[in-house]
Amino acid sequence: MPSGYVIVAHFYDVESGRKDLDDRGYGRAHEQFNIPIPRDGGIQDLLTEASRTDRRFVAVICEGIDRVARRTYFGTKIEYELEQNGVPLLAANEPILPDSGNGRRARKRAAPILTRRINQAIAEWYVVQMLELSWDGFCEHTEQGWNIGRPPYGYMADRRPHPVPARRAEGKTKTRLIPDPAKGPTVTTIFQMRALQRLGYEDIADRLNTDLASHPPPEPVDPRRAVGRWTGSAVRGILTNPKYTGYMVWNRRASKKGGRHNEPGEWIWSPRPTHEPLVTKDLFEAASPVAQQRQGSRPTNARSTHPQTKRSYRLRSYVCCDLCGRRMFGKTRHGIAYFACQPERQHHKDRADWYRDHPKSLWIREETLLDGVRHFFAERIFGPRRQQHLRDQLRTSATRQADSSATKRRTQLKRELTELRRRQDNLITQLEGFETTGDADSDHDYRQSIQRRFAELNATRRTKQAELDRLNADTPPANDDADLLNLIPQLRLNLSKLPENLERQLYDAFQLQIRYNRTSHEATFRVTVREDTVRMLTKTTESITERGSEMQMEQSRNDGRLFPSSGRPLQDSNLRTRLRRPLLYPLS
């Protein structure tokens, strides 16, 4: 330190030097250490006092310029703010120029500035390099299937000796995940209730709490926070954790930004399954969009508890407007139930294109949609000709899809053939108008070049024409996924006789979606059947059948029978077919 200088104040923080300058200086981590040096404040207190005229110091000295900030930008910014207030920033590991004899401070020199900037760049490079190596290590750790952190609910830690000999000698281990026989089935049940019954987090928690012996609640890291039961947040944590699919996943949360959830595109996945899954990837993906589909809708099929509620709507939360994608809401006029879509344009003034072609209000009777949905389930899901209906639908969809791309290619080929014919005609015209030059060799070469070019164009034209002929003759193959329907019981069902809660339970199980297009006056019904959920669908259907049969006995005098007969066909134990796509049927 220069002669005559004394330390009059101490400013320091215990925090990351990579934080934004506006966020620094407010931590209390220094209170956890027994630091013998008195503290007059942090970086913010230093800059504040430096801007005052009655400050206690004329200069600031640090151990090294890299201790001011780990980012060059913030380090130079602090240096600049101090210098603007007439306070130089000195470093103990840099030469300190003495003041001139006339009482003025020494002028800045070019060489020390260059040295300082190099030291700042090296400090920032060192931190970034360490982060890069650490990131690559975590990615490799994940790709190899090692778990990071506490095992999620439903799994146990299988500790293995560390693969690095030096770490292994220290007793270090790495962890893989193995299913917990007591808790693993609960995870599968939660995903099934979410994907098939579309239950909310709290509703799932309530059902689990009815049998805590079979579904033990999760235990937090801090035992003092344990509540001894399931909560909606605990259910949500399970439904959003992709590790249950058997893949190892890391970086779902940003540990340096308050633990916020990163976007799925930022997650690091193992390239292949690394541990035994508790749910299939299809079931996980089927449960993921339920929250968005159910947003703003009641989690149960019971009537609203609002005191002004007069009725309920059986198709609540299932109907969407095909023009704007918004969910349609129930509305009653003159005792008739409708579903309506009335977009508020002022809510999206910056996106007028959303509703440019949308009517101010559109309505459709619920009875019309119900008739179509019930007929759809009776014929396409439970009817004896359901497989043939599905095959016809898949064949039609495949044909339309193929026709769309084939039509574009046909149009392109026809244009190319027309252009090739035009070029050949030009060559013939040139040959017909040819006048001799008097040089026999030149005339011969000219005719030969035209002949070769004509042959090239003719070969290309034949290739294009053959491709066009194939497109005109080909019939697109239908992808037959209909055998999966054999796993669902065949029933002659009169859904109109079902109570609302049972009917909605059936629709929830099949993930019914209805899109109504006012322009074409068409409604599209969409249900999802997957091999990994078809057993649960069967149980749900059989449960509704049994409860409906009990109602039939109670209403034996009713002329309309609810379940005239039901039967379940034989199942093919060697079934290989998967139904990956939803089924789309127009309402005529």
Side-chain angles (χ1 to χ4, degrees):
M1 195 162 55
S3 176
Y5 280 64
V6 295
I7 297 177
V8 297
H10 302 84
F11 297 89
Y12 61 85
D13 292 300
V14 179
E15 61 184 2
S16 172
R18 300 185 73 250
K19 295 175 64 175
D20 290 347
L21 183 58
D22 294 337
D23 298 332
R24 291 185 55 186
Y26 300 106
R28 304 180 63 178
H30 60 277
E31 298 178 358
Q32 303 179 24
F33 301 91
N34 186 18
I35 302 177
I37 302 175
R39 182 176 182 272
D40 293 277
I43 186 65
Q44 299 295 341
D45 302 303
L46 171 65
L47 296 176
T48 299
E49 184 168 347
S51 64
R52 300 203 312 257
T53 57
D54 60 340
R55 56 179 175 264
R56 293 172 289 172
F57 48 83
V58 296
V60 173
I61 186 170
C62 60
E63 177 186 354
I65 197 62
D66 59 312
R67 307 306 299 169
V68 175
R70 287 290 187 177
R71 294 176 185 252
T72 304
Y73 170 75
F74 292 125
T76 54
K77 184 176 182 180
I78 293 173
E79 181 181 0
Y80 177 78
E81 289 188 14
L82 290 173
E83 289 181 349
Q84 289 298 105
N85 292 304
V87 179
L89 176 60
L90 311 177
N93 60 349
E94 296 178 359
I96 300 178
L97 300 177
D99 293 345
S100 58
N102 55 8
R104 292 182 299 177
R105 295 189 181 91
R107 291 182 292 107
K108 297 178 66 173
R109 300 291 183 178
I113 291 178
L114 177 61
T115 303
R116 172 171 292 187
R117 298 296 176 258
I118 292 176
N119 289 335
Q120 288 174 321
I122 292 175
E124 183 169 358
W125 166 84
Y126 176 77
V127 173
V128 174
Q129 186 198 35
M130 293 301 295
L131 292 174
E132 181 180 332
L133 294 175
S134 176
W135 176 272
D136 292 343
F138 277 118
C139 292
E140 184 65 26
H141 190 86
T142 301
E143 292 176 359
Q144 294 179 5
W146 302 109
N147 184 59
I148 300 174
R150 187 187 185 195
Y153 179 90
Y155 283 110
M156 298 186 299
D158 181 18
R159 302 192 181 280
R160 310 279 184 88
H162 202 286
V164 179
R167 295 290 185 89
R168 186 166 58 247
E170 298 175 355
K172 302 293 185 181
T173 60
K174 284 195 171 187
T175 304
R176 292 200 185 275
L177 298 179
I178 56 175
D180 186 334
K183 300 177 180 179
T186 299
V187 174
T188 307
T189 300
I190 290 174
F191 275 92
Q192 288 176 340
M193 286 193 291
R194 182 66 166 176
L196 299 180
Q197 303 179 39
R198 305 175 74 182
L199 299 179
Y201 303 136
E202 296 294 341
D203 199 35
I204 294 176
D206 292 340
R207 295 198 180 189
L208 296 176
N209 286 329
T210 60
D211 188 4
L212 293 179
S214 301
H215 309 297
E219 300 172 358
V221 178
D222 186 358
R224 295 174 298 179
R225 299 176 54 193
V227 295
R229 57 182 176 82
W230 284 91
T231 62
S233 60
V235 173
R236 180 184 182 278
I238 290 175
L239 290 171
T240 56
N241 193 338
K243 290 184 180 180
Y244 294 115
T245 62
Y247 289 81
M248 188 56 65
V249 185
W250 173 71
N251 197 42
R252 292 193 304 121
R253 288 197 174 189
S255 58
K256 299 296 184 181
K257 297 182 179 180
R260 68 166 177 82
H261 289 273
N262 290 327
E263 294 295 328
E266 301 179 27
W267 298 356
I268 305 299
W269 289 70
S270 62
R272 62 188 63 85
T274 59
H275 52 272
E276 184 178 341
L278 297 181
V279 299
T280 64
K281 201 170 183 180
D282 287 338
L283 184 58
F284 179 83
E285 293 173 353
S288 298
V290 173
Q292 182 178 3
Q293 296 170 1
R294 291 179 47 84
Q295 184 177 6
S297 182
R298 294 193 303 280
T300 65
N301 293 326
R303 181 177 295 189
S304 173
T305 57
H306 194 280
Q308 296 184 1
T309 299
K310 297 181 180 179
R311 61 156 299 155
S312 59
Y313 299 88
R314 295 203 172 205
L315 297 180
R316 171 180 58 84
S317 78
Y318 302 135
V319 187
C320 291
C321 175
D322 198 42
L323 299 180
C324 65
R326 299 169 71 248
R327 189 165 59 213
M328 301 177 70
F329 58 91
K331 201 167 186 177
T332 302
R333 174 173 291 183
H334 304 301
I336 301 176
Y338 294 87
F339 275 91
C341 183
Q342 298 172 319
E344 298 289 342
R345 297 179 184 270
Q346 63 270 23
H347 292 172
H348 303 284
K349 293 181 179 179
D350 57 332
R351 293 298 306 273
D353 56 303
W354 282 9
Y355 307 121
R356 182 179 295 116
D357 301 324
H358 198 294
K360 184 177 180 180
S361 175
L362 62 87
W363 300 52
I364 182 173
R365 293 181 64 163
E366 183 185 42
E367 181 182 2
T368 302
L369 293 176
L370 273 173
D371 290 343
V373 170
R374 289 165 177 167
H375 178 77
F376 166 74
F377 272 86
E379 294 292 329
R380 308 277 184 156
I381 304 299
F382 302 120
R385 300 187 66 251
R386 55 191 178 177
Q387 287 180 291
Q388 187 59 44
H389 285 310
L390 178 56
R391 289 193 176 100
D392 293 343
Q393 180 68 25
L394 292 175
R395 189 177 297 109
T396 302
S397 299
T399 302
R400 289 177 179 175
Q401 183 177 3
D403 285 349
S404 177
S405 58
T407 299
K408 294 180 181 179
R409 182 57 179 162
R410 288 192 192 97
T411 303
Q412 181 181 1
L413 288 172
K414 289 178 180 179
R415 286 200 302 264
E416 293 175 356
L417 287 171
T418 302
E419 176 65 17
L420 289 171
R421 294 191 187 96
R422 186 188 65 80
R423 292 181 182 180
Q424 287 181 312
D425 292 341
N426 289 341
L427 291 176
I428 296 299
T429 301
Q430 293 180 25
L431 189 60
E432 290 176 347
F434 171 70
E435 295 182 1
T436 182
T437 62
D439 186 345
D441 293 336
S442 298
D443 294 345
H444 177 73
D445 292 342
Y446 177 76
R447 287 191 295 269
Q448 287 291 325
S449 62
I450 290 181
Q451 185 178 4
R452 286 194 299 270
R453 181 56 180 160
F454 186 89
E456 292 174 358
L457 293 175
N458 198 49
T460 304
R461 186 174 64 84
R462 288 178 179 177
T463 302
K464 301 289 185 182
Q465 185 63 49
E467 182 180 357
L468 180 60
D469 293 340
R470 286 195 302 270
L471 286 175
N472 293 330
D474 286 347
T475 300
N479 189 3
D480 192 350
D481 295 321
D483 287 341
L484 189 59
L485 290 176
N486 274 337
L487 300 178
I488 300 175
Q490 286 186 14
L491 301 171
R492 283 190 289 168
L493 230 63
N494 187 353
L495 295 181
S496 62
K497 301 296 183 180
L498 278 177
E500 179 178 345
N501 63 327
L502 290 182
E503 188 174 7
R504 285 185 58 84
Q505 184 180 348
L506 181 68
Y507 297 157
D508 285 340
F510 284 90
Q511 301 180 37
L512 173 64
Q513 297 180 36
I514 305 171
R515 297 187 72 90
Y516 173 62
N517 189 304
R518 171 65 178 274
T519 304
S520 61
H521 295 283
E522 230 178 30
T524 303
F525 304 143
R526 169 176 175 159
V527 298
T528 303
V529 181
R530 303 175 186 271
E531 187 186 29
D532 53 354
T533 61
V534 71
R535 292 184 179 179
M536 193 68 179
L537 286 175
T538 300
K539 290 181 180 180
T540 301
T541 304
E542 290 175 346
S543 174
I544 294 175
T545 304
E546 293 174 0
R547 296 170 67 179
S549 299
E550 294 174 359
M551 291 177 52
Q552 180 184 356
M553 295 178 63
E554 296 177 359
Q555 301 176 357
S556 57
R557 295 184 179 180
N558 193 338
D559 294 335
R561 296 184 62 193
L562 181 62
F563 296 94
S565 65
S566 63
R568 181 174 179 177
L570 295 176
Q571 298 183 10
D572 182 3
S573 59
N574 295 321
L575 181 64
R576 300 289 183 183
T577 306
R578 306 291 194 271
L579 180 55
R580 299 296 184 191
R581 298 182 305 280
L583 316 182
L584 303 178
Y585 296 99
L587 173 63
S588 57

